[in-house]
Amino acid sequence: MAELLNFINNLLWDSLLIYLLLGTGIWFTLRTGFIQIRHFCHTFTILKDSGTRGGGGISPFQALCTSLAARIGCGNLMGVAIALILGGPGAIFWMWLAALIGMATAFAESTLAQLYKIRDTCGNACGGPAWYMANGLGLRWMGTLFTIFLLAGYGGFFSAVQANAITLSAQQLSGMGRWPITLALLILCAAAIFGGLRAIARLTQWLVPAMGLLYLLLAGWVVLHHWHQIAAVAALVFNSAFGLPAAASGLVGYGLAQAIFQGVQRGLFSNEAGTGSAPNIAAAAAPWPPHPASQGYIQMLAVFIDTLVICSATAAIILTSGTLEHAHADIHGIALIYQSLATVTGHWSMPLLMALVFVFSFAAIIGNYAYAESSLRFFVPQPVKLKWLLRLLTLTMVLFGCVAEVSVVWRLADLAMGLMTITNLIALLLLSPVVLMLANDYNSQRAIGKLPTFYAANFPAIAPQLAPGLWVRPATPRDKNSRAAAPLPRDG
C-alpha cells in the first residue's frame, strides 16, 4: 500500500501540482500587482479592529487564530525536518518562495469565500470553495467533489497525521506506551470537537498566539547560542536551493529537483495556501472593513506567520545547531529536532518539545475539524446527524493515526491534499476576474480615504449569484465614528 500511494503521490505532485500551485500563485501575484508585498503592512492595520465579532459570524481575529491552529501543526515541526532530511537546506528556500507566492493565492480564495458565503437557518455565516464553485461557477458537482475531498482530508487523514506526531514524539522522547497516549488524546479531542465551532474559535483565540510565541522564544534562544553560524547557514540555504557547488559542505547528495519538491510540498502541507481549507473558516467571519477582500488580507497574513515565521524557526533550530550534517535518511523528524534543541537546552528540552508537539498537533486536530464541520453545510443547512458522523470519523482517524505506520499516514494526507488542491486551483483560475474586481474595488476606496465597503448592487454582473440581502449593509454607529464614512451604494 505504501508503494502504491508513493507512486500516485509522485505522479500527482511531480507532474502537475507543483506547476499548478506555483503557476496560480504567480498569476495572482502579477495580476494583483504583488499585493502580498505592496499591502503587507495593511494586514496589520486590519488586525487592529479584528477582535470585535459582528452578527452571524466569528470575529476576523478568531478566524485568523482558527486557521492558524489548523495550519500550525506537525508540518511546522516534523514536516520541516523531513524536508531538510530529504531535500537538504535548499528546501527551505523553496518553502519560503512557495509561501510568498502562495500568499496571493490565499488572498484570492478567502476573498471569494467571503463573497459567496451564505447564512444558515440560525443566521450563522458559512461558505468556502464549494460555495464559490456552485454559485460563482454554477458547478455544484464540482463543489460536491471538493467537499468530499475536504472531508476525507480534514475530517480524517490530516487529523491522523497530527495524532501520529503526538504519539510518535511521546514514545520516542519519553518511552510512554502507545495506548495511554491514545486514550488521553481521544478524550481531549472529543471534549474539544463536541463543543462546536464557537468553542473551537474561543479556544484557539488564546492557545495559538501563546504556543507560537513560546516556540519563537525557544528558537531565538537556540539561534542566539549559535549566532556565529548564522551567516554560513544563510549562504548554505541559498546555495543549496540552486544546486551550487558551494552548498556541499558535507551535505553532498541533495538534488535540486528534490529540494524544490520537498520545499513546495511540505510548505503547502504547512500553510495550506491554495488547498481551499482556510476559506471555510474565513467565510464564517464577520469582516471588518465590511468587504470580502478584508478577509483575503487576514488569511494572507496567516500564510506568512505559518511558513515564513514558524517554519523558519524550526529550520533555524536545526541548521544553526549543525545536527543535519550527521542526520541519516531514516531518522524521524522529531528526533532531529530534539537533537538540535539538546545542543543548547540539554535533556530538559525533551518535556518542552513533547509539550510543543502536543499543543501544535492538538490545535491542528480541532482546527481541521472546524474546517470539516463548516463544509457539511454545503449538503444540509443544519447538518445535525452529519455532525455526529463527522465527529465519530474524526475520533476514529485520531485512533488510526495513533496506531498506524507513519509513512502510510503521511502519504494518505498528501493524496487528499493533492486532490483538494487541484479542484480548488481550477476554480480560482476560472474566478480570477472576480478576485481582481474585488481587490480593485477595495483599494480604490482606500485610495480616496473611504472605509472599504462592499455593496452587491454596485456589481450587477455577480449580484444574482450572491446570497440575497447579505451585502446590503446600512450604516452603523461604528461606521459613523470611523476615520472616514463608508460610501453609499449607487442605487441610493
Side-chain angles (χ1 to χ4, degrees):
M1 182 177 181
E3 292 181 0
L4 176 62
L5 289 172
N6 195 45
F7 172 77
I8 296 174
N9 280 327
N10 288 340
L11 186 66
L12 186 66
W13 285 87
D14 289 349
S15 303
L16 179 61
L17 257 177
I18 286 182
Y19 304 105
L20 187 58
L21 268 170
L22 294 178
T24 303
I26 291 171
W27 168 258
F28 282 112
T29 296
L30 295 176
R31 294 290 289 157
T32 58
F34 293 85
I35 193 170
Q36 68 269 53
I37 298 174
R38 291 190 303 115
H39 297 165
F40 178 70
C41 293
H42 180 60
T43 60
F44 296 96
T45 303
I46 296 176
L47 272 183
K48 183 178 66 175
D49 292 322
S50 66
T52 302
R53 180 172 66 86
I58 61 177
S59 74
F61 183 70
Q62 287 176 328
L64 172 65
C65 290
T66 303
S67 69
L68 280 174
R71 285 182 165 106
I72 300 176
C74 65
N76 298 77
L77 299 174
M78 298 173 65
V80 174
I82 291 171
L84 286 170
I85 293 169
L86 299 180
I92 300 305
F93 173 84
W94 294 106
M95 187 179 290
W96 289 337
L97 184 62
L100 185 63
I101 294 173
M103 288 171 68
T105 308
F107 172 85
E109 60 184 356
S110 292
T111 296
L112 288 173
Q114 266 288 321
L115 178 69
Y116 289 105
K117 68 183 180 181
I118 63 170
R119 293 201 187 279
D120 61 20
T121 54
C122 296
N124 297 312
C126 57
W131 281 266
Y132 57 70
M133 291 170 188
N135 300 328
L137 294 176
L139 301 175
R140 186 169 179 85
W141 65 265
M142 190 179 191
T144 301
L145 190 64
F146 175 85
T147 304
I148 292 171
F149 292 150
L150 186 144
L151 288 171
Y154 285 87
F157 296 133
F158 299 159
S159 294
V161 167
Q162 306 297 340
N164 188 275
I166 293 173
T167 306
L168 185 64
S169 64
Q171 285 186 302
Q172 288 186 342
L173 298 178
S174 68
M176 294 175 63
R178 183 184 297 268
W179 289 109
I181 302 169
T182 302
L183 180 60
L185 184 58
L186 284 173
I187 293 173
L188 289 172
C189 289
I193 66 176
F194 277 92
L197 292 181
R198 292 285 176 87
I200 290 173
R202 287 193 296 269
L203 176 62
T204 56
Q205 187 173 10
W206 64 266
L207 183 62
V208 171
M211 70 179 184
L213 180 60
L214 176 61
Y215 189 59
L216 291 178
L217 290 174
L218 179 62
W221 182 18
V222 174
V223 171
L224 286 176
H225 186 81
H226 299 294
W227 65 270
H228 55 284
Q229 296 287 340
I230 295 176
V233 166
L236 180 63
V237 168
F238 286 100
N239 288 331
S240 299
F242 300 99
L244 300 179
S249 305
L251 293 169
V252 178
Y254 298 115
L256 176 60
Q258 189 68 359
I260 297 174
F261 175 81
Q262 289 296 327
V264 174
Q265 187 180 31
R266 293 304 160 200
L268 174 64
F269 185 85
S270 175
N271 64 55
E272 303 175 9
T275 64
S277 55
N280 289 275
I281 205 66
W288 190 261
H291 194 288
S294 63
Q295 263 301 303
Y297 281 108
I298 290 285
Q299 295 303 322
M300 190 170 71
L301 179 62
V303 174
F304 176 85
I305 294 172
D306 174 88
T307 304
L308 295 171
V309 177
I310 305 295
C311 286
S312 296
T314 301
I317 290 172
I318 295 171
L319 293 175
T320 58
S321 67
T323 53
L324 183 63
E325 297 182 24
H326 309 290
H328 45 86
D330 59 347
I331 188 174
H332 291 293
I334 197 66
L336 179 60
I337 298 172
Y338 171 65
Q339 292 173 9
S340 303
L341 287 174
T343 62
V344 176
T345 60
H347 293 297
W348 69 264
S349 61
M350 180 180 68
L352 179 58
L353 183 57
M354 284 178 56
L356 282 170
V357 171
F358 173 79
V359 174
F360 273 48
S361 298
F362 175 71
I365 290 172
I366 61 176
N368 290 343
Y369 173 79
Y371 287 163
E373 182 182 307
S374 66
S375 71
L376 290 177
R377 291 181 174 84
F378 183 72
F379 298 126
V380 184
Q382 286 298 323
V384 177
K385 293 182 179 179
L386 289 177
K387 280 184 186 179
W388 281 94
L389 290 175
L390 178 62
R391 289 164 179 168
L392 292 175
L393 171 65
T394 301
L395 294 176
T396 300
M397 293 307 295
V398 168
L399 175 62
F400 171 72
C402 290
V403 300
E405 182 186 350
V406 62
S407 60
V408 173
V409 175
W410 276 94
R411 288 183 176 97
L412 286 170
D414 286 339
L415 178 60
M417 176 168 285
L419 295 173
M420 276 181 59
T421 305
I422 289 174
T423 311
N424 185 51
L425 292 179
I426 292 172
L428 286 180
L429 290 172
L430 292 174
L431 288 169
S432 60
V434 179
V435 175
L436 300 176
M437 179 181 64
L438 293 174
N440 291 334
D441 179 61
Y442 182 93
N443 287 297
S444 64
Q445 293 184 53
R446 280 186 62 215
I448 60 175
K450 290 186 176 181
L451 179 74
T453 304
F454 180 81
Y455 292 97
N458 293 347
F459 300 90
I462 62 172
Q465 303 170 351
L466 309 183
L470 190 63
W471 292 107
V472 179
R473 184 177 180 279
T476 66
R478 185 177 179 183
D479 296 337
K480 297 173 183 177
N481 294 331
S482 298
R483 179 174 57 87
L488 294 173
R490 292 176 189 163
D491 59 2

